[in-house]
Amino acid sequence: MRIDVLTIFPEFFDVLDVSLVGKARERGILNVHVTNLRDYAHDVHRTVDDTPYGGGAGMVMKPEPWGDAIDALLGDSASDAVVIVPTPAGHLFNQVMARELSQASHLIFACGRYEGIDQRVSDHFATRCRVVPVSLGDYVLNGGEVAAMAMIEAIGRLVPGVVGNPESLTEESHEDGLLEYPSYTKPAQWRDLDVPDVLLSGNHGAIAAWRREQQLERTREMRPDLLTEEH
Ligand code: 6GU
């Protein structure tokens, strides 16, 4: 998978060299490129923002640098690329969306700052490829960079070969619409706390039933909004 990031703060993405995503990059499974949007500015001051039409607080990112930068990244792959615009005004990001986006061959993260990007950028590119405004949740970040990092990790780890043991991907929170069960390791006693007896029983049926019950209990407690009829 090819992943492009467009940002005025490329340093935010230096940490993509470490951990699983870093290894996947080294192995050529994830081909991640970060581009400084200012390289596509049209003036010597490398200006990327201007005051909003209609007035109001803050600055809006100018369309021309975005247009030229995304044109350059799309090249001929326009039809199967997905432009992701991190914004608190987007669709809520979740595991289903991460799975779906992990099937794409080319993702372009358009990281806006200030009060956002001139709307015509999304409107224009929506005529040439998929453009998806995506939000991480109901709070406001200063820009799309940190959100894009989170999405790159969530999507990237679902690309085949990035995570060594694919089974670890199916037995985790949100994969069956529930939160994950609690996990324990040695020692069996620590401070005044014991590992639940059932996990030491060797009874795989009882362990599976206990884990399912824990998933339901946790989800009821922490995230009742996730429970549906099927559960
Ligand atoms: Cl994706 N972007 C920004 N700027 N703020 C957010 C967000 C995204 N998701 C939640 N808050």
Side-chain angles (χ1 to χ4, degrees), residues 86-88 134-137 139-144 147 151:
T87 165
V134 184
S135 166
L136 289 193
Y139 46 84
V140 178
L141 304 169
N142 282 332
M151 289 188 249

Side-chain angles (χ1 to χ4, degrees), residues 119-132:
Q119 181 60 36
R120 291 169 293 181
V121 175
S122 286
D123 294 347
H124 168 77
F125 287 103
T127 68
R128 296 173 52 191
C129 65
R130 259 178 86 201
V131 177
V132 195

Side-chain angles (χ1 to χ4, degrees), residues 168-181:
S168 65
L169 293 177
T170 53
E171 283 216 13
E172 60 190 4
S173 290
H174 299 298
E175 275 300 332
D176 58 2
L178 295 174
L179 302 185
E180 197 179 10
Y181 51 76

Side-chain angles (χ1 to χ4, degrees), residues 214-226:
Q214 291 291 312
Q215 284 192 280
L216 288 166
E217 205 171 290
R218 259 195 179 176
T219 309
R220 253 191 315 267
E221 164 80 16
M222 314 267 185
R223 295 293 307 278
D225 57 298
L226 295 178

Side-chain angles (χ1 to χ4, degrees), residues 70-129:
I70 298 173
D71 278 348
L73 294 177
L74 281 179
D76 302 331
S77 73
S79 55
D80 53 287
V82 183
V83 175
I84 299 172
V85 185
T87 165
H91 299 282
L92 264 191
F93 187 68
N94 62 18
Q95 193 69 11
V96 170
M97 198 188 290
R99 264 220 181 272
E100 197 257 315
L101 291 170
S102 73
Q103 317 272 315
S105 60
H106 188 189
L107 301 180
I108 299 172
F109 287 89
C111 301
R113 287 254 138 188
Y114 318 111
E115 304 307 308
I117 304 170
D118 187 301
Q119 181 60 36
R120 291 169 293 181
V121 175
S122 286
D123 294 347
H124 168 77
F125 287 103
T127 68
R128 296 173 52 191
C129 65

